[in-house]
Amino acid sequence: MKSPRTLRTAAAAALVVALTAAAPAVAQSQSAQSQSQSAQSQVLQEAPAAAGVVLPRPTGAFPTGRETLHLVDRSRADLWVPERRRELMVDMYYPARSSAGAPAPYADPREARLLLEGVPDSHADALAELTATRTHSVAGARPQRGKHPLVVLSPGFGGPRYTLTTLAEDLASRGYVVAVVDHAHESLGTVFPGGRVLTCVACEKAETLEDMRKATVQRGQDIAFLLDRLTGPRPAWRHAAVIDRKRIGAAGHSLGGASAASAMARDPRVRAGINMDGSFGDPVPADGLDGRPFMMLGTHSSVHLPDGQDPTWSEAWRNLDGWKRWLSVEGTDHLTFSDIPVLFDQLGIPYDSETQPTIRPERAVELVRVYVAAFFDLHLRGLPQPLLDGPSPTTPEVHFNAPAD
């Protein structure tokens, strides 16, 4: 297994966190939004015109909106840069009243450049194409009235928050408020207010299982802090009144999925969680999660099948004490639970991975969306979901694993 210093040189590999016994090395305000958009517009003017990646359209009934928050937790030092307070950049996706308006950009050009610099076979036009990519969400749109469940999404190790856009937009189109988090110093590149571009210090410093345990705990704390700022008496988001504080879930990819479980272990506000192919760096407590539901959604491979190479999944399964599912998706690899395969497919970039996925990127997006939505519809909305009862002929790629506890 390569060290984190080697992993950081390839964007695909930098997103992977493989915490297995066999491989111990591991790979505030609305003004912040306007500052970021202003800097972004300046860089966009310098970029050549290009056709962007076409992201899969959301499948729900609502148009979607997006706003961006910058949050600083002044009570905590950053694990990777201790002289700094812990910072987050958060994209808020939500059901909107109208689809009129300009679509929000997918990635800041500076962030896109840093992602592609690490890709060995990236071509000259890829940056312009990724920079030209637009979401299906209207920047600053007015939200739908009423109260909506909140889902927090956390990306993989090294992954910018925009790599979970296709899932975030789909949930928002189904009536969820979705907060997608960039954790400072843990992505290949994230633009912060004042023109600061923070890179992956964690990719340099994380070398042991204990480092990744601390990283997982820190992300769980990030989620708790975010909930404080979204649901507290003086919320950071101007539309926070549309959030239903009693219906909150968390999910994520890789390290982000592990952080969902870590947050649930310490914060009873998180009522349901999903780990998408991430090792449980912070183990599920032996006495469970107070009966709250949790779903493990991963690859159908030797890593995340029962008694597989990653022992944390079997341990988590034994400790989960509420409604639970262990699903594996045939034909996927680690990164197909993010936007990366869609991006690389349309940008014409070879998929740099030891295991090549056989599932088409659009089908992978479809399956992730439908099972994640079914889970949260069941547990945050109380809507029956036969899809989660067992194998379905409409989704033959999805396997239900039921090892003995």
Side-chain angles (χ1 to χ4, degrees):
M1 185 70 175
K2 298 176 182 178
S3 71
R5 291 177 174 80
T6 303
L7 287 175
R8 78 182 193 280
T9 64
L15 300 175
V16 180
V17 178
L19 296 176
T20 67
V26 295
Q28 170 111 200
S29 65
Q30 298 300 134
S31 63
Q33 179 182 4
S34 60
Q35 291 176 26
S36 176
Q37 289 176 341
S38 176
Q40 187 180 70
S41 298
Q42 181 177 356
V43 179
L44 279 170
Q45 292 172 3
E46 301 171 358
V53 172
V54 179
L55 301 175
R57 295 193 65 84
T59 61
F62 298 109
T64 59
R66 193 185 82 184
E67 293 189 346
T68 301
L69 305 174
H70 170 232
L71 303 176
V72 181
D73 186 349
R74 303 194 182 282
S75 70
R76 287 188 297 145
D78 190 281
L79 173 64
W80 314 112
V81 184
E83 62 271 23
R84 301 285 302 186
R85 297 292 91 184
R86 186 63 168 166
E87 293 183 79
L88 309 175
M89 292 300 296
V90 184
D91 281 338
M92 301 296 301
Y93 289 90
Y94 50 91
R97 299 186 195 182
S98 170
S99 60
Y106 182 71
D108 183 286
R110 292 161 288 182
E111 297 171 344
R113 181 179 293 110
L114 286 166
L115 178 72
L116 294 173
E117 279 179 356
V119 180
D121 297 312
S122 177
H123 56 82
D125 296 330
L127 176 59
E129 293 173 16
L130 186 54
T131 296
T133 300
R134 294 292 179 266
T135 68
H136 297 286
S137 300
V138 175
R142 296 175 67 190
Q144 287 279 338
R145 295 181 178 89
K147 294 288 189 178
H148 307 283
L150 169 66
V151 174
V152 178
L153 296 181
S154 178
F157 186 73
R161 67 187 185 279
Y162 62 77
T163 58
L164 292 178
T165 296
T166 57
L167 176 57
E169 288 195 313
D170 193 66
L171 286 170
S173 77
R174 295 170 182 258
Y176 290 87
V177 173
V178 184
V180 193
V181 187
D182 245 329
H183 309 264
H185 309 293
E186 293 179 15
S187 83
L188 294 175
T190 299
V191 176
F192 278 75
R196 294 176 296 142
V197 182
L198 303 187
T199 56
C200 195
V201 177
C203 295
E204 293 282 352
K205 289 190 173 182
E207 296 184 331
T208 67
L209 289 172
E210 177 59 16
D211 289 337
M212 294 313 299
R213 187 196 66 79
K214 292 178 180 178
T216 308
V217 170
Q218 176 173 244
R219 284 208 184 187
Q221 293 169 338
D222 290 346
I223 292 173
F225 167 68
L226 173 60
L227 296 184
D228 291 342
R229 299 298 290 120
L230 291 179
T231 66
R234 298 180 63 185
W237 185 40
R238 60 177 177 167
H239 300 305
V242 304
I243 295 174
D244 186 339
R245 301 177 184 182
K246 295 182 179 179
R247 296 188 292 169
I248 296 174
H253 171 235
S254 195
L255 177 59
S259 70
S262 184
M264 287 184 69
R266 294 169 174 80
D267 195 328
R269 291 175 296 182
V270 185
R271 302 305 306 163
I274 303 174
N275 181 354
M276 296 188 294
D277 212 53
S279 294
F280 290 86
D282 181 24
V284 173
D287 57 355
L289 298 174
D290 298 323
R292 285 168 290 166
F294 200 89
M295 185 165 75
M296 296 152 54
L297 178 64
T299 56
H300 192 68
S301 70
S302 59
V303 177
H304 285 152
L305 285 176
D307 299 319
Q309 297 173 15
D310 181 355
T312 69
W313 274 47
S314 292
E315 179 185 5
W317 179 261
R318 290 191 299 270
N319 291 345
L320 291 170
D321 61 339
W323 185 103
K324 58 185 178 181
R325 292 291 184 272
W326 182 337
L327 307 183
S328 55
V329 186
E330 197 167 349
T332 59
D333 94 322
H334 185 65
L335 295 182
T336 52
F337 295 89
S338 72
D339 291 356
I340 292 296
V342 172
L343 301 181
F344 283 12
D345 180 62
Q346 293 192 39
L347 293 174
I349 297 173
Y351 199 81
D352 183 23
S353 173
E354 293 179 2
T355 58
Q356 292 290 318
T358 58
I359 192 170
R360 288 293 303 157
E362 295 79 7
R363 177 61 171 169
V365 167
E366 178 185 5
L367 292 174
V368 169
R369 282 174 162 182
V370 73
Y371 277 92
V372 169
F375 174 84
F376 286 123
D377 280 351
L378 175 62
H379 297 295
L380 297 184
R381 287 176 160 159
L383 301 175
Q385 299 295 321
L387 186 67
L388 298 176
D389 293 340
S392 169
T394 63
T395 56
E397 305 95 331
V398 179
H399 298 259
F400 282 65
N401 304 297
D405 292 353

